Amino acid sequence: MKPFETGARCPLDGVRVLDLSRLVAGNMLTQVLGDFGAEVIKIEPPAGDTLRGWQTSGVQTTWKLYSRNKKSLALELRKPQARELLARLVPTAAMFVESFRPGTLEAMGLAPETLFECNPKLIIVRISGWGQDGPYKQRPGFGTLVEGMSGFASCNGFADREPVLPPMYLADTVAGLYGAAAAMIALREVETNGGRGQVIDLPLLDPLFAVLGPQAANYRLSGKVKPRAGSRSTNGGPRNAYLCKDGLYVCLSASTQKMAERVFRSIGRPDLVDDPRYRTNADRVKHAEELDAIIGAFIAWRTQAENVAFFEQAEVTIGPIYDIRQILEDPHVLARELVADYPDADMGAFPMHHVVPRLSGTPASIRTPAPRLGEHNRALLGEIGVDDAAYSRLVAAGAVCEGGSVNKEEEE
């Protein structure tokens, strides 16, 4: 069981982040910053962050993963005393992250202009579904809606079936990663160039649309909407998922000319190299169904492991399609420690993915587990002069919360 690296030196040591966000995008963003040493303070409502309610077998797995290396301060921001406490913390922070519906921060008396008065160098990240302006800004910002409207679902799945939404938090995590990069760019402006703080408008829509590639240009050139092609590619082939003898699958991608020819020779069909249906990449894409039948028939006679070994020997680009059980047993995954067990009160050992990316000189680290709700109330408020008597009054007034009711359990 891997111990927490308490006290490990990291490149973002000394960078304080006030995180008022909920759900995955903001938590992804601040997890990246926290892994690299930022002091991330989750400002949670009395019921806790929404992720606390996403549970498996009664364990807050999503919260534990995305909130490692963070602190928890539980404030009831509907109370003026709590908002005043937050305002007193703003001058101590480098970044302020929120994911309220546009206009909510302003209604709370915490508009960017007000925050900048407290801290002119503050970086404010505003996460929403659709952006801080535009006709859709007040629509609910759920990632599922963005995954539909962005064009992702439209091109995902099979041509004869309905569009397929992703089985994970795709829009949120992509936005979170873009947001972490943007926050560091803004931090460089403040620290290196002596600039002032600024607002980062981070919708879920824009980053997901950006990673879909040149579809707008392709449509303008061809007048055609990118079709759903299952596991095939509209750009190159052969490329697909193929069923093996043991009921498992392999994925093969041979979108370069030399690799396609290598596939043909490895399956005992060198004649396909000069076959006019498969001679060029465009030909192979056009006749993908017939080509997949030939390759699929060859693969179907071998197990997943046998296929991987055979094609790797032939230097063909192939790999297994794993489920989570296989991932956790793979020797490369184990050697690289993609997943490591950390001490956990509920599970004994909690498996978490390694910090990403890996820096050789100033690596990130997992230093602390996800916090209990309000775990750091007294320490953080003590920094801004809240003594024990004042703390007791704030708790009695409902402005500061200890423990409290966590969001109702929702099985993932």
Side-chain angles (χ1 to χ4, degrees), residues 44-372:
E44 299 190 72
D49 190 291
T50 307
L51 295 191
R52 290 184 182 272
W54 294 4
Q55 301 182 16
T56 299
S57 301
V59 178
Q60 300 174 355
T61 52
T62 309
W63 169 257
K64 287 176 183 286
L65 181 66
Y66 286 106
S67 292
R68 67 195 190 193
N69 291 329
K70 299 180 183 180
K71 297 178 179 179
S72 173
L73 173 60
L75 300 178
E76 176 52 272
L77 293 177
R78 289 176 292 187
K79 301 279 188 179
Q81 304 100 309
R83 294 194 295 274
E84 192 271 334
L85 291 172
L86 178 60
R88 287 163 63 184
L89 283 169
V90 167
T92 73
M95 300 178 187
F96 183 103
V97 182
E98 62 99 357
S99 62
F100 299 117
R101 189 173 293 194
T104 302
L105 204 62
E106 287 80 357
M108 294 167 62
L110 296 169
E113 295 75 15
T114 302
L115 296 175
F116 286 139
E117 289 176 4
C118 298
N119 183 351
K121 294 183 178 295
L122 189 67
I123 296 159
I124 304 171
V125 185
R126 309 197 69 176
I127 302 169
S128 63
W130 316 99
Q132 296 299 312
D133 54 21
Y136 297 160
K137 68 178 183 179
Q138 291 299 324
R139 286 187 177 181
F142 282 44
T144 296
L145 308 186
V146 169
E147 288 150 4
M149 184 175 158
S150 65
F152 171 83
S154 174
C155 62
N156 189 46
F158 292 87
D160 59 346
R161 295 289 304 274
E162 71 280 0
V164 177
L165 295 162
M168 72 293 196
Y169 328 115
L170 184 64
D172 281 76
T173 51
V174 171
L177 294 172
Y178 265 89
M184 294 308 301
I185 292 168
L187 185 64
R188 177 175 172 79
E189 172 66 17
V190 169
E191 295 185 345
T192 303
N193 299 325
R196 294 176 61 84
Q198 58 185 302
V199 175
I200 298 172
D201 184 359
L202 183 66
L204 303 189
L205 176 63
D206 302 23
L208 188 56
F209 178 74
V211 301
L212 294 181
Q215 290 198 36
N218 294 345
Y219 173 72
R220 185 169 294 177
L221 287 167
S222 68
K224 297 178 180 179
V225 173
K226 182 180 176 68
R228 290 191 291 282
S231 294
R232 291 183 183 136
S233 170
T234 55
N235 297 318
R239 193 260 198 181
N240 214 330
Y242 299 94
L243 180 63
C244 303
K245 180 181 178 180
D246 52 2
L248 303 176
Y249 287 83
V250 291
C251 52
L252 182 149
S253 177
S255 52
T256 65
Q257 186 65 28
K258 286 186 177 180
M259 187 58 67
E261 293 176 4
R262 193 175 296 167
V263 170
F264 298 157
R265 293 189 178 99
S266 69
I267 65 173
R269 293 296 305 273
D271 57 297
L272 299 180
V273 172
D274 295 317
D275 189 314
R277 294 172 297 173
Y278 314 124
R279 185 177 296 144
T280 69
N281 188 59
D283 295 328
R284 293 190 291 275
V285 170
K286 184 177 180 180
H287 297 95
E289 187 168 350
E290 305 98 290
L291 185 55
D292 279 338
I294 295 170
I295 297 171
F298 183 89
I299 288 174
W301 284 98
R302 292 169 173 79
T303 66
Q304 182 187 71
E306 290 168 344
N307 274 302
V308 171
F310 174 85
F311 283 105
E312 283 188 345
Q313 182 67 29
E315 297 186 332
V316 167
T317 44
I318 195 172
I321 293 180
Y322 278 167
D323 58 23
I324 187 61
R325 174 186 58 82
Q326 293 171 293
I327 292 171
L328 295 178
E329 296 172 351
D330 185 86
H332 181 81
V333 172
L334 294 173
R336 292 273 298 173
E337 288 191 307
L338 265 66
V339 179
D341 284 333
Y342 286 82
D344 180 74
D346 296 310
M347 296 176 61
F350 186 83
M352 286 194 280
H353 64 255
H354 201 288
V355 291
V356 181
R358 304 186 187 189
L359 278 63
S360 63
T362 54
S365 65
I366 301 176
R367 301 175 304 286
T368 60
R372 300 184 305 277

Side-chain angles (χ1 to χ4, degrees), residues 20-43:
L20 283 73
S21 70
R22 304 290 177 265
L23 296 170
V24 177
N27 278 299
M28 177 84 246
L29 190 165
T30 56
Q31 184 201 64
V32 173
L33 301 178
D35 283 353
F36 282 92
E39 181 192 18
V40 178
I41 301 172
K42 288 292 302 182
I43 309 295

